[in-house]
């Protein structure tokens, strides 16, 4: 009887060991099958491409739009707030630039530096609302000699025109990234849409001809015409497309 009991215990132990061994083999087989189902490339990508952070604090950008060509630097110092600055510039000449009654040999310069405080409503999104200032050096200069058939050019002389906007403008915009070029969220294509209030323009129009009260009055009238034209751009649209790198 004792031998039978000992043999029974041994059999139960053997059965338990066999069951544990089969369970271990089954688990190992399942894991190997799962690994075989994943290609080495995918495994390498997972190891080398961790999930990007909620946001990256620094962003450099190259941009083009209604304020010219330029660049920007943004610092997102917390989950919901940041600051940004930039520089945009564009210049071109036009020998037939018509304003009201006269045609000018004109040069147009668009140059500004925005400085904004950025608000990010969502931590894991690049969308932001920007409030700040634009330092404005936009300028139009030009000369005109042909005053038409009413006033002979030799009596009128050469007209010199200069139009400038206010140097500091309120600035409001929204912006963000449309999509990322890479999984790590370093490179992106983004945009900005907003407006700057440039204020009442400063306009000067002078002539070089001989003294004449009548001609001076005509020039002052023409200067008012130019001012009315320039006032159409008091609300300067801000539309930008940009490529950015965040780190």
């Amino acid at each position: 009887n004792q031998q039978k009991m000992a043999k029974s215990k041994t059999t139960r132990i053997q059965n338990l060991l066999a069951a544990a061994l089969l369970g271990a083999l089954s688990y190992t087989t399942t894991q190997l099958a799962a690994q075989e189902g994943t290609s080495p490339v995918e495994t390498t990508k997972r190891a080398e491409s961790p999930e990007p952070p909620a946001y990256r604090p620094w962003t450099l950008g190259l941009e083009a739009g209604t304020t010219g060509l330029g660049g920007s630097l943004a610092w997102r110092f917390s989950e919901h707030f940041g600051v940004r600055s930039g520089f945009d510039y564009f210049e071109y000449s036009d020998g037939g630039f018509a304003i009201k009654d006269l045609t000018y040999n004109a040069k147009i310069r668009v140059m500004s530096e925005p400085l904004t405080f950025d608000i990010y409503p969502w931590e894991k999104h690049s969308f932001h609302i920007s409030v700040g200032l634009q330092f404005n050096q936009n300028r139009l200069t030009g000369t005109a000699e042909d005053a038409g058939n009413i006033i002979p050019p030799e009596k009128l002389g050469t007209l010199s025109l200069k139009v400038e906007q206010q140097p500091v403008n309120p600035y409001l915009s929204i912006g963000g990234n449309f999509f990322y070029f890479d999984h790590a969220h370093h490179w992106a294509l983004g945009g900005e849409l907003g407006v700057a209030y440039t204020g009442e323009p400063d306009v000067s129009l002078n002539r070089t001809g001989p003294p004449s009260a009548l001609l001076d009055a005509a020039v002052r009238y023409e200067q008012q015409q130019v001012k009315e034209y320039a006032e159409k751009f008091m609300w300067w649209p801000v539309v930008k497309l940009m490529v950015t790198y965040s780190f």
Side-chain angles (χ1 to χ4, degrees):
N1 291 334
Q2 292 178 353
Q3 290 179 352
K4 288 181 179 181
M5 291 176 63
K7 186 176 180 181
S8 177
K9 289 181 179 179
T10 302
T11 301
R12 285 198 297 272
I13 292 172
Q14 289 174 346
N15 289 337
L16 290 173
L17 290 174
L21 182 60
L22 287 173
L25 287 172
S26 176
Y27 175 78
T28 303
T29 303
T30 301
Q31 292 298 106
L32 288 173
Q35 290 180 4
E36 288 176 358
T38 304
S39 69
V41 175
E42 292 177 347
T43 304
T44 303
K45 285 183 177 179
R46 289 178 182 177
E48 295 179 355
S49 303
E51 286 300 315
Y55 65 90
R56 298 188 182 277
W58 294 96
T59 298
L60 290 169
L62 293 175
E63 58 193 33
T66 56
T67 57
L69 306 175
S72 64
L73 172 64
W75 176 35
R76 187 171 176 177
F77 55 81
S78 71
E79 294 176 356
H80 297 289
F81 302 107
V83 292
R84 183 164 50 98
S85 65
F87 173 77
D88 296 305
Y89 177 85
F90 185 71
E91 183 175 288
Y92 72 98
S93 299
D94 187 348
F97 193 82
I99 303 177
K100 298 296 184 177
D101 301 326
L102 295 178
T103 300
Y104 296 86
N105 182 17
K107 179 180 289 186
I108 298 96
R109 183 186 73 184
V110 179
M111 184 168 70
S112 61
E113 302 86 32
L115 179 62
T116 64
F117 178 74
D118 298 338
I119 302 170
Y120 297 84
W122 300 283
E123 175 188 355
K124 295 183 178 181
H125 205 287
S126 64
F127 173 81
H128 57 272
I129 303 167
S130 299
V131 180
L133 299 173
Q134 174 181 266
F135 299 96
N136 186 341
Q137 294 92 47
N138 292 349
R139 185 175 67 189
L140 185 153
T141 56
T143 59
E145 295 182 354
D146 184 8
N149 298 322
I150 299 176
I151 302 174
E154 62 273 9
K155 292 185 178 180
L156 180 65
T158 300
L159 289 174
S160 297
L161 173 66
K162 184 177 182 181
V163 181
E164 292 182 315
Q165 296 175 325
Q166 295 298 315
V168 182
N169 314 144
Y171 186 97
L172 177 66
S173 70
I174 58 174
N177 295 328
F178 301 136
F179 61 85
Y180 292 94
F181 294 106
D182 61 333
H183 178 75
H185 288 189
H186 287 294
W187 293 95
L189 179 69
E192 185 177 6
L193 179 65
V195 66
Y197 178 68
T198 64
E200 187 174 345
D202 292 327
V203 179
S204 65
L205 184 64
N206 302 303
R207 69 182 189 89
T208 60
S212 171
L214 180 62
L215 292 180
D216 289 343
V219 170
R220 286 194 298 270
Y221 172 78
E222 197 65 35
Q223 178 175 308
Q224 183 60 34
Q225 293 283 89
V226 174
K227 186 173 182 179
E228 291 176 3
Y229 169 83
E231 286 175 348
K232 296 179 180 179
F233 304 96
M234 291 173 63
W235 295 94
W236 192 274
V238 177
V239 182
K240 297 181 182 181
L241 191 66
M242 59 192 70
V243 176
T244 62
Y245 178 79
S246 300
F247 56 98

